[in-house]
Amino acid sequence: MDAQVENAIEIAWNPQSDQNLKSQAFEFLNQLRSEPQGWQVCLALATREPRASEVVRHVALEVVNNTIQGRQIDEQGLLFVQDSLMNHIRSCYGDGNGVAQQDPVTIQNKIIQTITYLFVALYANQWQTFFVDFIALASTSSTSVVENFLGTTFYLKILISVHDEIADTIVRRSPEEQQRDNDLKDVVRERDARKIAQSWQDILLYWKTRDGRIIDQCLSAIGRWASWTDLSLIVKDTLLGLLFELVSSPEAIPQKEGGNNLRDASLNTFMEILAKKTKANDKVDLIEILRVKDVVSQLITSPLLHELRPTSNYDTDLAETVAKLVNNTVFDIINILETAPAGDSVVLKANNQLKEFLPFVLRFFADEYDEICSSVIPCLTDLLTYFRKRVRADPDYAPMLPPILQAIVAKMRYDETSAWGNEDAQTDEAEFQDLRKRLQVLQQAVAAVDEQLYIDTISGIVGASLENFQTQRGQVDWRDIDLAMHEMFLFGELAVKSAGLFSKTKPVSPAAERLIAMMFKLVESDVASFSHPAIQLQYMEICVRYSTFFEANPQLIPRVLENFVRFVHHNHVKVKTRSWYLFHRFIKSLRQQLGDVAQNITQALGDLLPIKAELPDETSDNDDMSSDENDRSADATFTSQLYLYEAIGCMCGSPAVPVANQVIFIQSVINPLFADLETHLGPARAGDQRSALQVHHLIMALGTLARGFSDWTPANTSPSSKPPAEAVSEEFARTSEAILVALESLNSSVEIRTAARFAFSRLIGVLGNRVLPQLIRWIDGLLSRTSSKDEMALFLRLLDQVVYGFKTEIFDILNTLLTPFLQRVFSGIAEPISGTDDEIQLSELKLQYLGFLLVILNNDLGSVLVSNVNQPAFETVISTIEHFAKDVTDFPTAKLAFSVLTRMVNSWGGPDLQNTGIVPVAQPSLPGFDRFMMERFSPLCWALPSIPAFNPKDAQGRLVLGEAAGLQRAIYAKTGQEYLTWLRDVELRRMGMNDATIDEYLNALCTFDAKRFRQFFQALVQRSNR
């Protein structure tokens, strides 16, 4: 039998075995697992001499383990396994000289797993000498000297495995398993914990100068067991002395055997011991007994963390480990302060400890390496949260805040090795900016504790830095100026709230007052003349963020604009392209104050306006995931260039600029674009790709100029928003005509259609009703035969705006173009779909189509749907709505379809009979519509829920039923008793509904309000579908 099992395992795990043989081998082994005595064969294979192959032993032990874990072996069988394995273990690891005969690591781990399962099953009653047996394994004599290397390592691995099995908090356990493990831990504490703790001491004493590997294993075991054993057994002078010795001088152990790694292991053990949950008094005492302060102080002043700190030999791993120890200790101290009763003696001790550890926190927080700094940010965050609660009640905490804030500010500064803008340092830059965001949160926490301290500190730093710049004529470190300006930018979180900087020309708060003073200093110091790109970008960001300052101080605007004009011409591509966006933001927020400078600024930007399209480099890596900020591609540059066009539109469209000048400014921008468009249109038609891209860019630029010029929208009656003057609209009508010519020539290009659609949406606000006569041409151009469903959906959304904006003027035009337009939409909806993207686009097109119908109906234009011109298409409109209302695969569309039908009923169904009390029969505005909505609309309410795939419990499905209920109430409101008769005699009867249910339903329709009937209908459908 042994030979059969061994042969089967060899075949099953041999990659070169015949597949049929493999299948037979696996089948045989599966049968072996289910046989009651199969484990005995496997145990013999795993422990026999001479040894079987490693794979055979591994599989055999796995069968034994599964049998033990599945409780398929009785007590006698378990004791047999114990005896067999212990004999094997003693022969391999007990004499200290078994290096050649010890098991491979995989087999050793498997045996340890088996022993651990035996521990769980036998330790409490049968195997009471479990730990004694393995402690004895560590010694080759009757003495307590643990000189057996193999036995000691095996024993320590057993300790670690036992902990992981019964005490690891990460592992999820059933209540029964948890109770079992708790009971086992209680027995261990009572029976063997003292012996185990003594063994740790003996192992550390013997091996501390001999082998770092055993010391590392022993420390790992101590750290794990500390969470659930009696600390008094660990916190002993001898054992602590050994830990302190390892922390202080791990060099005593040869470097090849572990060396300085033992210091980290010792510190981790300290942290594990400290992490044990104890009462507040015990925790304070534990911090003192472990002499954590002395350990940290000694390490901070050690050569590795002090003398070598400025060098490349600085031990960052050690620093990070010590920082984590400090972080965890301060966490515990804060927790004590938060939970202990006020006035308790433990609070006094914890406060003293906090004062002792704060310098350590700040030391690691200020470390040059961000990983080390980040290790103490959590405890610093908790500390500031605690201060926020207690600083007013306990003034002793106030002196701790200034050094904390100073450390935070100092950490915000670029370090001396940083190279701003270096392509190779983008990752470092991103990590530093992420750190700055975390530091900002800490600064805000300080401000929440002591706002005045924050105001004084930041304004002092900013003022001093700008003053140094002035007095030293720019001969200062760019990092200092960057820090000041970054802090000035962040200062707005406190100074600029919902009310802005000013209230009736006065600062809204002390913080706002300081910020205003800083803004004056920023402009007057001429820090914008500093040559470093980071400072120039910060300057623009600040001016944009605090643009309300310039609204109150318009005399400073020309000076700032001069700087912006210089920056938009910068030779550094990042500064230049970013400044185009920021310039646009600055102009847009101050357009009312720019009338006097519009001409000069427009002329100054003239050399930046010519557009030069560049085809993407086919050799470039299209998968480059660079951020928008660092994207220097031609496409990204053009996108930034569009901000200049919008900024010019904002300036030229300012009410402060005379209309005549507005026209001149527009012509100076659009005429060169028209000429360029005319030049490239021919080659683009001939297939030249760069010319086609140039046309695309020119159309985008024209549309963007229009967007900047006017924020007015049709149907906007606000007195603060007025349409452009007629002369201005006339110029943009020329723009619209030029774009239409290009579109009509190149409407087979999706890129040209996209650009034209973009421009069309922006031109509406400057053209006004001039856009209406061109509408048919726009539709013809934008909806070509090759237009995708997505394009149709986007254009429908635009058309919604036009209908809404010109609802009083659009009827005749809409009447003319509706049928051909809808035919194109119907064709798009009817196209077969292929793939998920196509399915999503179809769903969006259906929603936009129904939304367009709703816009028509909601703006009293419903008669256009049934006019003589469009009557032939009306049946198709109704058919599509009916189809959508029955689509169980697309509930959002079905819901909107019912909304459209309800709106049709309200538009054409006539007056509500219930409200008049005079009209006995329906009076629809469309002859025969009363019968139409009963015969066509009403059955749809039952069509969807009657589909087998419909789930009435589905949340979206219930929403559709709610809309269907609303449709029924709308029909009843228009037709009254006639609808009830129709339901009773025809519709519900055809469905097979019994008389009781019909009476219940009709009563609910007549008497319930909208909400109650909706709930009734949903419940009725759910009841019927059971």
Side-chain angles (χ1 to χ4, degrees), residues 808-830:
T808 60
E809 308 165 75
I810 200 173
F811 182 88
D812 291 338
I813 294 173
L814 191 61
N815 192 42
T816 302
L817 61 82
L818 185 64
T819 293
F821 172 66
L822 288 179
Q823 291 297 338
R824 298 190 186 191
V825 175
F826 296 152
S827 299
I829 292 174

Side-chain angles (χ1 to χ4, degrees), residues 318-338:
L318 175 61
E320 189 172 353
T321 303
V322 180
K324 289 176 181 177
L325 175 60
V326 171
N327 181 74
N328 293 353
T329 306
V330 174
F331 257 139
D332 289 333
I333 295 171
I334 295 169
N335 186 55
I336 293 167
L337 291 171
E338 288 182 330

Side-chain angles (χ1 to χ4, degrees), residues 54 82 357 648 682:
E54 186 173 339
Q82 171 203 339
F357 274 86
I648 289 174

Side-chain angles (χ1 to χ4, degrees), residues 121-352:
L122 299 175
Y123 174 72
N125 298 309
Q126 282 77 23
W127 197 357
Q128 299 182 11
T129 61
F130 180 89
F131 292 106
V132 174
D133 293 345
F134 286 104
I135 291 173
L137 196 68
S139 175
T140 58
S141 64
S142 58
T143 66
S144 61
V145 179
V146 287
E147 79 284 9
N148 180 6
F149 177 84
L150 294 179
T152 303
T153 55
F154 196 88
Y155 162 60
L156 292 172
K157 288 180 179 179
I158 289 290
L159 289 182
I160 292 171
S161 180
V162 166
H163 162 83
D164 292 346
E165 179 66 24
I166 69 171
D168 192 340
T169 56
I170 298 176
V171 177
R172 281 190 166 190
R173 298 175 174 85
S174 67
E176 295 78 14
E177 290 172 333
Q178 188 64 59
Q179 184 60 51
R180 178 205 66 191
D181 293 344
N182 290 341
D183 293 341
L184 282 172
K185 286 186 284 186
D186 289 340
V187 178
V188 172
R189 292 188 194 102
E190 181 181 347
R191 184 188 296 163
D192 290 312
R194 193 172 301 277
K195 299 169 191 171
I196 294 168
Q198 182 62 45
S199 73
W200 292 334
Q201 179 177 312
D202 295 340
I203 291 169
L204 292 175
L205 276 170
Y206 183 82
W207 292 100
K208 67 177 182 178
T209 59
R210 289 180 170 84
D211 198 303
R213 292 171 296 177
I214 287 184
I215 299 300
D216 188 42
Q217 274 188 316
C218 188
L219 292 173
S220 178
I222 294 171
R224 282 173 161 85
W225 281 60
S227 64
W228 57 278
T229 51
D230 188 353
L231 280 182
S232 64
L233 300 175
I234 300 175
V235 185
K236 284 186 171 182
D237 290 343
T238 305
L239 193 53
L240 286 180
L242 289 167
L243 284 174
F244 294 143
E245 185 179 345
L246 290 168
V247 169
S248 305
S249 54
E251 299 84 358
I253 297 175
Q255 181 68 30
K256 65 179 181 178
E257 298 291 355
N260 290 338
N261 289 333
L262 293 180
R263 178 182 278 130
D264 294 341
S266 304
L267 290 171
N268 287 327
T269 303
F270 266 102
M271 285 189 277
E272 294 287 356
I273 296 172
L274 274 172
K276 183 176 176 65
K277 294 180 180 179
T278 60
K279 296 178 181 179
N281 279 318
D282 295 337
K283 182 67 75 172
V284 169
D285 292 339
L286 183 61
I287 293 172
E288 291 182 357
I289 292 170
L290 290 177
R291 293 161 40 199
V292 182
K293 171 180 171 290
D294 296 337
V295 170
V296 173
S297 179
Q298 182 181 1
L299 289 171
I300 286 177
T301 56
S302 68
L304 289 174
L305 299 189
H306 185 62
E307 285 88 346
L308 297 179
R309 184 176 176 183
T311 72
S312 59
N313 293 323
Y314 178 46
D315 194 337
T316 55
D317 291 336
L318 175 61
E320 189 172 353
T321 303
V322 180
K324 289 176 181 177
L325 175 60
V326 171
N327 181 74
N328 293 353
T329 306
V330 174
F331 257 139
D332 289 333
I333 295 171
I334 295 169
N335 186 55
I336 293 167
L337 291 171
E338 288 182 330
T339 56
D344 195 308
S345 60
V346 73
V347 174
L348 179 61
K349 289 182 181 179
N351 273 327
N352 291 334

Side-chain angles (χ1 to χ4, degrees), residues 13-28:
W13 268 266
N14 186 346
Q16 297 179 351
S17 297
D18 180 75
Q19 287 300 319
N20 292 329
L21 282 176
K22 267 195 172 188
S23 299
Q24 294 175 27
F26 277 117
E27 185 178 351
F28 174 77

Side-chain angles (χ1 to χ4, degrees), residues 625-643:
M625 299 298 289
S626 60
S627 65
D628 292 342
E629 189 174 334
N630 294 315
D631 191 352
R632 298 180 182 178
S633 64
D635 189 54
T637 301
F638 169 68
T639 301
S640 297
Q641 190 179 16
L642 290 178
Y643 289 118

